[in-house]
Amino acid sequence: MEVIIRPDKESACQLACDLIFDAIALDPKIVLGLATGGTMENLYARLSKKINLAGLNLDTVRTFNLDEYIGLSPTHSGSYRSYMEKHFFSQVSIKTQNTFLPRGDALDVEQECLDYEKLIKKAGGIDLQLLGLGQIGHIGFNEPLSSLASRTRAKSLTPETRKQNAQYFGGEANVPKRAITVGVGTILESTRALMLVTGRSKAEILAKSVEGPVTSLISATALQLHPKCMVIVDEAAAAKLVNQEYYRWVFENEPEWERYR
Ligand code: F6R
């Protein structure tokens, strides 16, 4: 795992944007794992702008989102399909048939989860998995005690997660209680992972996720087991990290980061 600390939210999002852009440019057939949430809005705005300015062709790019609320149709304004359409898919020229999210309104949720895993496998697996970090340390909707070997399945959301997302539903009471989420095990199988975390409110949970012991209580700690995970954060989110100086040194000195400095 590498932790990259950028001075502010804007430069953290820009670095994540540049890394994803370069990954697509290098491999036009890339399979991207995508996330939603407040943090990603800034990133998707930057990424769509950069893609359009460069005229980058997305015809052969495939995307798989991490999660979807159970009970919501894709057209529901609170669904993650709607979020993705609004913030990214409608902003760039991408083929809808190449963009995948679990169906929250599937009649057979268990079958939908199995099918989603199969679709990811059929696509050859996720090349680059984008992740945000929830207030309770979830990645995707892998709430506390999610098995570190879990696959795509239905999860009950914690009150904290429902509170975090209340703003998108006009109050906590309206937030769906369950969601389909890609599993921690599925996430760990991605070739590369990129977690983007910004803001002071994430400082404690980021430090636990990155520097604390691996535990299913905080699913993001599983990323310590990922063979190639980049964690891009701003100063505010980095505030509680013990080894900040080392992380800064790595970014300044590793050849891999030269073109991004
Ligand atoms: C949503 C997802 C979640 C969010 C996380 C952070 O697809 O995967 O894990 O990334 O809850 O959300 P924000 O950015 O709103 O704090």
Side-chain angles (χ1 to χ4, degrees):
M1 173 183 282
E2 278 190 35
V3 178
I4 307 299
I5 305 172
R6 304 310 295 138
D8 51 33
K9 176 180 157 182
E10 300 306 319
S11 41
C13 291
Q14 189 57 48
L15 176 57
C17 163
D18 293 343
L19 284 163
I20 298 169
F21 179 92
D22 289 351
I24 303 172
L26 203 68
D27 176 10
K29 288 188 171 172
I30 195 166
V31 179
L32 292 173
L34 297 179
T36 59
T39 314
M40 299 302 156
E41 289 179 19
N42 186 317
L43 169 65
Y44 288 132
R46 284 169 190 278
L47 187 59
S48 3
K49 197 168 161 198
K50 187 162 179 161
I51 286 170
N52 293 331
L53 269 175
L56 189 66
N57 190 310
L58 302 184
D59 281 356
T60 50
V61 170
R62 280 165 296 171
T63 67
F64 286 87
N65 267 78
L66 283 167
D67 36 27
E68 182 59 282
Y69 291 107
I70 291 177
L72 300 194
S73 75
T75 52
H76 187 287
S77 62
S79 77
Y80 282 159
R81 166 60 76 177
S82 293
Y83 172 105
M84 289 308 300
E85 291 297 339
K86 177 174 172 197
H87 294 288
F88 189 49
F89 299 154
S90 70
Q91 305 299 315
V92 292
S93 175
I94 191 163
K95 292 184 172 160
T96 305
Q97 68 265 31
N98 288 345
T99 65
F100 300 90
L101 284 95
R103 286 285 301 229
D105 59 352
L107 290 178
D108 187 342
V109 170
E110 213 171 304
Q111 191 58 49
E112 176 66 13
C113 296
L114 291 173
D115 291 347
Y116 201 67
E117 278 284 329
K118 273 190 206 143
L119 273 177
I120 294 175
K121 245 193 199 99
K122 201 172 150 207
I126 305 290
D127 296 310
L128 178 59
Q129 177 65 61
L130 180 62
L131 298 160
L133 178 65
Q135 292 292 354
I136 52 160
H138 68 205
I139 45 178
F141 272 142
N142 289 288
E143 303 292 63
L145 290 186
S146 285
S147 159
L148 302 189
S150 53
R151 319 299 310 188
T152 303
R153 72 222 181 283
K155 282 300 283 182
S156 291
L157 302 177
T158 59
E160 290 90 342
T161 295
R162 295 182 64 231
K163 198 171 290 161
Q164 184 191 314
N165 292 326
Q167 52 180 313
Y168 305 110
F169 290 90
E172 198 182 324
N174 304 324
V175 181
K177 295 187 174 65
R178 299 171 77 228
I180 294 175
T181 181
V182 163
V184 180
T186 322
I187 291 170
L188 290 181
E189 281 173 9
S190 56
T191 309
R192 284 199 293 165
L194 192 174
M195 183 161 78
L196 175 65
V197 188
T198 58
R200 178 65 186 80
S201 69
K202 301 276 176 74
E204 277 82 14
I205 195 64
L206 176 76
K208 284 183 187 163
S209 302
V210 166
E211 294 181 333
V214 174
T215 167
S216 63
L217 281 173
I218 302 174
S219 62
T221 60
L223 294 173
Q224 295 174 32
L225 304 172
H226 193 287
K228 183 104 183 94
C229 178
M230 304 165 275
V231 181
I232 299 174
V233 306
D234 63 358
E235 289 280 358
K240 297 281 174 185
L241 293 172
V242 174
N243 294 308
Q244 283 181 49
E245 262 177 54
Y246 173 62
Y247 308 145
R248 289 182 216 281
W249 190 91
V250 169
F251 185 67
E252 288 310 322
N253 290 278
E254 279 285 343
E256 181 189 349
W257 295 108
E258 200 172 327
R259 57 178 307 201
Y260 299 105
R261 289 198 278 269

